[in-house]
Amino acid sequence: MPGRATSQDFAAWLELNPDTRAHLWLTCSLLVDELRAELDATDADCQPWEVELGPFGFADCLPSATRGSYDAYTALAFTHALDAVIWKLGNQPGTQPSCTMEAFAMRAVLERAEILVEELQEVLDSGEPPWWSTGHDPGAVDMESIPDLVFQDLDHEMLFMPHLDGIENDEQLAAVLGLGEELTVRGWLTPYDNATDRGHPLTWSTDPSPPSSPTG
């Protein structure tokens, strides 16, 4: 089992400078804590995507147009997906999301990272001492190249565009765009056809098959 990634070796692409890697590490730590706080604040009358405590909470992580289809497992599925993409960033940088829910989680990391750059810069501009222990300079963080490194496409972004509400159920348009069921709520956890791993653990019905021996 690989050791836990640190802020120095997190997201270790050659394309990313040390400040950007440290910033992503800090972002993931904060995002997990912020979403956990929203989960703790939920009850029978208030779902996680209705709490809106954090700068980028469940209300932002999941498409608002499809909330009518969410159930008690939706937030759980997202947190599992977030765990998966954080693990990939720390241990297998270059491994892309395996399903739409993981794409949502990766999107959340990047969006929260952009917000965090502004938050940290405001601290520095105010003359207050940095509260973050990574020691990185938010002014040196470069997020521009990351989407190309972590996404095979940006189809999931269509679910966050109000003018495209309902696109996941438009079979004719989906056929034109070459989409399957990956944008439908029921397909968010289904591994992509070209996924390099088995996708989201909530879709696993059996243990992984052992690898074949060299002799078959």
Side-chain angles (χ1 to χ4, degrees), residues 34-49:
E34 290 164 356
L35 293 179
R36 184 180 293 119
E38 291 197 338
L39 287 174
D40 290 343
T42 62
D43 55 36
D45 299 318
C46 186
Q47 297 298 326
W49 45 89

Side-chain angles (χ1 to χ4, degrees), residues 25 49-50 53 65 72 82 94 96 98 108 114 118-119 127-128 143 166 173 176 180 182 190 193 199 204 206 212:
W25 183 89
W49 45 89
E50 298 171 331
L53 290 178
L82 182 61
Q96 296 180 334
S98 300
E114 293 278 9
E118 298 179 5
E119 293 174 347
E128 297 179 8
M143 301 291 297
L173 182 56
V176 172
E182 63 268 21
T190 303
D193 290 341
W204 300 351
T206 59
S212 300

Side-chain angles (χ1 to χ4, degrees), residues 89-166:
L89 285 170
N91 296 283
Q92 294 181 348
T95 303
Q96 296 180 334
S98 300
C99 63
T100 299
M101 191 68 89
E102 285 190 12
F104 291 164
M106 189 70 79
R107 173 184 181 272
V109 170
L110 301 189
E111 293 283 350
R112 182 66 182 98
E114 293 278 9
I115 296 170
L116 185 59
V117 168
E118 298 179 5
E119 293 174 347
L120 302 189
Q121 193 60 54
E122 287 178 1
V123 172
L124 295 182
D125 292 344
S126 71
E128 297 179 8
W131 54 261
W132 52 99
S133 60
T134 53
H136 73 283
D137 176 8
V141 173
D142 182 7
M143 301 291 297
E144 185 175 352
S145 63
I146 299 180
D148 289 337
L149 296 173
V150 298
F151 294 120
Q152 58 180 317
D153 59 52
L154 296 175
D155 290 347
H156 62 277
E157 287 290 347
M158 292 189 285
L159 296 175
F160 295 91
M161 300 176 181
H163 66 286
L164 293 179
D165 283 356

Side-chain angles (χ1 to χ4, degrees), residues 1-12 21-22 24-26 28-29 85-93:
M1 179 69 69
R4 184 175 181 180
T6 67
S7 60
Q8 286 74 41
D9 57 20
F10 194 73
R21 296 201 302 269
L24 287 173
W25 183 89
L26 178 63
C28 291
S29 298
V85 299
I86 291 174
W87 188 89
K88 289 177 180 179
L89 285 170
N91 296 283
Q92 294 181 348

